[in-house]
Amino acid sequence: MKALILVGGFGTRLRPLTLSFPKPLVDFANKPMILHQIEALKEVGVTEVVLAINYRPEVMINFLKDFEDKLGITITCSQETEPLGTAGPLALAKDKLADGSGEPFFVLNSDVISEYPFAELIEFHKCHGGEATIMVTKVDEPSKYGVVVMEEATGRVERFVEKPKIFVGNKINAGIYLLNPSVLDRIELRPTSIEKEVFPQIAADQKLYAMVLPGFWMDVGQPRDYITGLRLYLDSLRKKSAARLATGAHVVGNVLVHESAKIGEGCLIGPDVAIGPGCVVEDGVRLSRCTVMRGVRIKKHACISNSIIGWHSTVGQWARIENMTILGEDVHVCDEVYSNGGVVLPHKEIKSSILKPEIVM
């Protein structure tokens, strides 16, 4: 089987992290976002992953070469010279996806984090005999999204309603699809939307089905959702393989600590924290609802909450970092500095407090 991952463009919503790495290579729970997807695809027998990309493909490919060998999976790029939306990339990669076997292929949005129930999706797709299956997830506020209206008994999609004013349903497109190769014949090589143009056409032919995604789902393409996604991911990890989570007197709730990280005395860590490889957390540090990426040093008695600390940054003694502060790569926060929602570009030194949310160039 094959899969196409829609990587897309510049990842502006996750800046300043995406100034250092393309968005799919930004760490989530201690490994690049896209690797969560590739590993799950490999588990259900996918042998080739095509990345649809229009920004820095060489960085992606060089990085993922290592994982090709480790996972035993082929990873190739299909590069857009102009943004082609969410359907155009399928037409561009048609030769890679349609190999004559007739096997369906996966299409994923690279920002989506979930439990990736791909085996159940394959089973459901084969049973209904339609042309395409989309995964849907239930949301509390459907009026903010495009809602998928479906037949509950069979899962057949009847129509799509964009940001409904009255309640028509609470299921939205989760950005995970399994498509027959015949779908490629419906797509022209031009900028086009799979959600707005291709799927409604298949639904009109009564060949589109939806499966409700079990477990959690999050689009982690922006900081607040990234932090929420981490909480949901760690909750799921607690249920599935709790042994991977940290334990001890200094740990509260769900915490993921890389084996090479060092944690000092008298710390209080959690809930919902990921600490990456090579990090040093000195004595008396307090961490909650945050991600600390590879090679970060957090000095004594610093306090970090609801924030993302980018690679190889330093947080000084008694510093306080909170309210969706994002430090880009190699940012150095001096001792006793306070950041309230500061967004700091890479390679900066912060000597004075950031008292209200702002971007520090």
Side-chain angles (χ1 to χ4, degrees):
M1 284 184 86
K2 297 186 176 185
L4 179 86
I5 300 180
L6 296 165
V7 173
F10 303 108
T12 47
R13 296 179 304 162
L14 261 190
R15 281 180 183 164
L17 301 170
T18 48
L19 296 172
S20 299
F21 292 93
K23 184 170 56 178
L25 300 186
V26 170
D27 296 325
F28 178 86
N30 293 352
K31 64 182 163 195
M33 283 186 203
I34 201 164
L35 212 51
H36 290 274
Q37 298 185 330
I38 292 173
E39 287 175 352
L41 288 166
K42 164 73 180 160
E43 272 182 32
V44 293
V46 169
T47 52
E48 186 177 340
V49 174
V50 181
L51 307 177
I53 190 166
N54 62 21
Y55 172 60
R56 295 168 79 185
E58 65 292 336
V59 181
M60 292 282 293
I61 283 295
N62 291 342
F63 183 87
L64 292 167
K65 274 283 168 261
D66 296 346
F67 294 102
E68 268 197 324
D69 302 335
K70 280 182 199 161
L71 295 170
I73 196 166
T74 308
I75 302 171
T76 57
C77 265
S78 171
Q79 189 181 359
E80 304 164 35
T81 50
E82 60 166 337
L84 289 172
T86 51
L90 278 74
L92 188 65
K94 184 173 183 175
D95 293 346
K96 292 176 189 278
L97 295 170
D99 55 5
S101 69
E103 280 288 309
F105 58 89
F106 288 98
V107 177
L108 312 184
N109 181 334
S110 70
D111 294 351
V112 167
I113 289 287
S114 77
E115 288 172 5
Y116 306 123
F118 295 148
E120 294 95 313
L121 179 56
I122 293 169
E123 188 63 30
F124 176 71
H125 184 78
K126 285 182 175 161
C127 285
H128 67 61
E131 199 173 349
T133 307
I134 63 175
M135 295 214 95
V136 293
T137 185
K138 292 179 181 176
V139 290
D140 295 335
E141 290 183 65
S143 60
K144 293 190 336 197
Y145 304 91
V147 171
V148 180
V149 181
M150 56 192 265
E151 226 176 54
E152 290 300 320
T154 61
R156 188 173 61 75
V157 174
E158 294 171 357
R159 61 199 165 102
F160 296 85
V161 183
E162 194 59 38
K163 297 185 176 164
K165 295 283 184 289
I166 57 165
F167 185 84
V168 291
N170 65 345
K171 298 178 190 75
I172 65 163
N173 180 344
I176 298 171
Y177 320 128
L178 190 57
L179 313 177
N180 287 352
S182 58
V183 172
L184 295 169
D185 300 330
R186 295 176 178 267
I187 304 170
E188 294 172 29
L189 182 52
R190 60 178 174 83
T192 167
S193 162
I194 199 164
E195 301 85 358
K196 293 188 170 76
E197 296 176 59
V198 181
F199 288 155
Q201 193 188 4
I202 304 173
D205 292 344
Q206 305 200 346
K207 291 181 177 176
L208 182 66
Y209 288 78
M211 174 183 154
V212 179
L213 180 80
F216 78 98
W217 175 88
M218 200 73 213
D219 177 330
V220 293
Q222 51 194 353
R224 200 168 292 281
D225 296 337
Y226 177 106
I227 294 290
T228 303
L230 182 65
R231 173 175 63 77
L232 297 171
Y233 174 84
L234 294 176
D235 273 349
S236 163
L237 203 56
R238 164 77 62 199
K239 295 181 191 116
K240 289 183 136 184
S241 46
R244 287 175 54 197
L245 295 171
T247 52
H250 63 292
V251 172
V252 186
N254 298 331
V255 174
L256 189 64
V257 180
H258 191 271
E259 59 201 16
S260 63
K262 293 184 172 58
I263 294 177
E265 299 292 313
C267 294
L268 188 57
I269 296 173
D272 309 322
V273 173
I275 299 174
C279 290
V280 177
V281 179
E282 295 185 3
D283 298 350
V285 165
R286 175 74 180 105
L287 303 176
S288 65
R289 294 179 303 282
C290 64
T291 284
V292 179
M293 292 183 181
R294 185 178 60 250
V296 166
R297 177 178 285 268
I298 299 172
K299 296 187 177 175
K300 292 178 181 174
H301 307 293
C303 178
I304 301 173
S305 67
N306 281 306
S307 296
I308 302 172
I309 310 300
W311 309 270
H312 306 290
S313 293
T314 309
V315 176
Q317 295 186 31
W318 295 101
R320 187 180 181 93
I321 308 280
E322 63 186 26
N323 191 23
M324 292 314 308
T325 290
I326 308 174
L327 305 185
E329 182 183 18
D330 181 41
V331 168
H332 302 283
V333 176
C334 294
D335 294 353
E336 299 177 28
V337 163
Y338 170 62
S339 171
N340 172 22
V343 173
V344 186
L345 272 63
H347 316 298
K348 298 278 173 235
E349 185 177 30
I350 303 297
K351 292 179 177 172
S352 56
S353 291
I354 301 166
L355 299 176
K356 63 182 196 304
E358 62 176 299
I359 296 169
V360 179
M361 309 286 278

